[in-house]
Amino acid sequence: MKLRELSGQLSLNILQAQGDLDVPVSGGYTSDLLSDVMAYGKEKNVWITCQTHENIVAIAKLKNLAGIILVNSRKPDQVTMEKAREENIIILGTSEPAFAITGALYNLLKK
Amino acid sequence: MSPRNIAAEAKRKELDILGICDHNTAENAEALIEAAGRLGLCVLPGLEVTSQEEVHILALFGELEAALSMQERVYESLPGENNESVFGQQIIVNAEDEVLGVSPKLLAGATTLSLEQVVGFIHVLRGLAVPSHVDRIGFGIIGQLGFIPPRLDLDALEVSLHMSWEKARAQFGPGRPLVSSSDAHFLNEIGLAATHFLLEEGTLEEIKMAFKGIKNRKIIH
């Protein structure tokens, strides 16, 4: 499934659109510990987190993730937005908590 | 842990300088400054601030006033109330170990301040910003954020007593000042780790100079 379609199905807000919304998503990873994502996140995963620090962009870039979903209506820090634009990292947002959006994404990708 | 007991134990362990950094508060700093001062020990007042990213960072100051200003910033951004059945009573004492009151704040919680904001406030107040136990996954800057943000203006890194200087040096690079401390939560932990400095006197300004290697002040590992 492409990131664009996934975003529509889960009613996500596109907070930072500069990047590739047509990337095929390989799966998801949910974690707020960035060192953990660095260790276990997989290429083209969508990453679900509440962290908004600019380092999330570097991790997404490093692991070649498909995009980031920020939960609980969290908004990226301004520097995070700028970096994400520069690095073409898509940032999506939801008012749902991580548990709910992870479950929804899991069901969607399982189909 | 009470000011008089901490001071006596530190004296017994032959420490010269103590840093007091309770989680998100400096309410007991004044009592320790006084109690330890009587035994000829220098005390740097401070806080161990929890940033929004759940990174622990030591904020050390030269004067009580600055530590209390930092505390004000932290309290403004620290939601929640303490649950004594979970985190225990957060008592505030004087230098005679007498209880003055109880803090209702959720000191174990995280502030809504970003790491950059925390470091910014510390530096406005002319303090030292030192992320705690950087070798630890939980609440350590690298564990939480994957790596140290390169533009973050940190004065030094603190490694826990579980890591040797050699290993720390190899892992965190030669360019950064490294300190180690006991992170004592109990009396018997005081002095389990310490940092040796070559200084003229036990002040924050001298430690600042040691971090920068100015006028022969230095950290002796």
Side-chain angles (χ1 to χ4, degrees):
Chain A
M1 182 180 289
K2 289 178 177 175
L3 188 58
R4 186 188 305 276
E5 193 187 342
L6 178 153
S7 173
Q9 296 264 356
L10 297 176
S11 308
L12 303 175
N13 303 314
I14 301 180
L15 303 174
Q16 200 300 103
Q18 175 76 40
D20 184 10
L21 273 163
D22 292 316
V23 62
V25 172
S26 65
Y29 197 75
T30 305
S31 178
D32 299 323
L33 205 54
L34 275 63
S35 57
D36 173 64
V37 182
M38 250 163 109
Y40 298 108
K42 297 209 167 64
E43 195 171 346
K44 304 284 195 296
N45 273 184
V46 169
W47 173 20
I48 297 168
T49 184
C50 71
Q51 288 279 13
T52 57
H53 190 272
E54 60 174 294
N55 276 19
I56 60 174
V57 175
I59 304 289
K61 177 92 182 164
L62 177 78
K63 302 298 289 190
N64 202 9
L65 303 179
I68 302 169
I69 301 176
L70 299 182
V71 300
N72 287 342
S73 307
R74 293 227 187 186
K75 296 283 172 285
D77 304 349
Q78 199 193 329
V79 189
T80 309
M81 283 293 274
E82 285 162 16
K83 286 240 158 143
R85 216 171 287 132
E86 272 169 35
E87 301 287 354
N88 294 313
I89 301 296
I90 306 267
I91 302 181
L92 307 161
T94 176
S95 56
E96 300 279 352
F99 178 79
I101 202 68
T102 302
L105 176 63
Y106 184 86
N107 284 332
L108 187 63
L109 292 178
K110 212 171 56 171
K111 277 180 197 164
Chain B
M1 294 281 258
S2 72
R4 290 202 305 188
N5 286 335
I6 292 169
E9 184 68 9
K11 186 81 185 170
R12 206 174 67 79
K13 300 268 174 70
E14 299 182 339
L15 299 175
D16 299 309
I17 307 172
L18 306 178
I20 173 166
C21 294
D22 283 323
H23 286 293
N24 293 318
T25 187
E27 300 218 49
N28 284 313
E30 187 176 6
L32 187 65
I33 291 172
E34 199 182 324
R38 288 177 196 154
L39 302 182
L41 302 173
C42 304
V43 175
L44 302 179
L47 305 81
E48 184 172 27
V49 183
T50 307
S51 75
Q52 173 182 255
E53 301 85 2
E54 301 202 8
V55 171
H56 284 179
I57 179 155
L58 300 172
L60 284 160
F61 299 97
E63 279 131 30
L64 180 65
E65 217 167 88
L68 294 178
S69 296
M70 187 70 201
Q71 173 181 274
E72 214 169 294
R73 294 284 195 180
V74 166
Y75 278 7
E76 282 165 9
S77 319
L78 186 65
E81 274 186 26
N82 184 38
N83 180 339
E84 293 192 350
S85 65
V86 180
F87 298 112
Q89 225 178 19
Q90 302 173 155
I91 57 171
I92 302 160
V93 294
N94 66 14
E96 312 307 327
D97 294 354
E98 293 162 341
V99 176
L100 300 178
V102 175
S103 169
K105 304 288 291 183
L106 181 57
L107 300 179
T111 64
T112 55
L113 302 170
S114 71
L115 194 54
E116 283 73 10
Q117 284 175 310
V118 174
V119 172
F121 288 147
I122 294 171
H123 285 154
V124 165
L125 296 164
R126 304 177 55 80
L128 292 172
V130 182
S132 334
H133 42 69
V134 294
D135 51 311
R136 236 175 66 184
I137 298 290
F139 299 110
I141 189 169
I142 297 169
Q144 294 298 131
L145 290 181
F147 58 94
I148 297 173
R151 282 176 305 167
L152 197 63
D153 187 13
L154 300 169
D155 297 288
L157 306 180
E158 188 218 44
V159 294
S160 79
L161 52 86
H162 305 293
M163 189 177 236
S164 69
W165 285 122
E166 292 71 30
K167 225 175 146 195
R169 181 62 61 219
Q171 195 167 332
F172 304 117
R176 289 179 193 275
L178 297 176
V179 294
S180 186
S181 46
S182 62
D183 197 5
H185 286 59
F186 299 94
L187 271 185
N188 62 355
E189 293 173 344
I190 290 174
L192 284 184
T195 304
H196 292 84
F197 292 97
L198 186 65
L199 309 172
E200 279 284 322
E201 52 181 6
T203 62
L204 190 88
E205 287 308 314
E206 287 280 325
I207 289 178
K208 250 184 212 178
M209 285 160 76
F211 282 169
K212 292 183 175 151
I214 295 173
K215 290 189 185 164
N216 246 346
R217 271 63 160 183
K218 56 186 172 188
I219 303 170
I220 309 163
H221 288 158

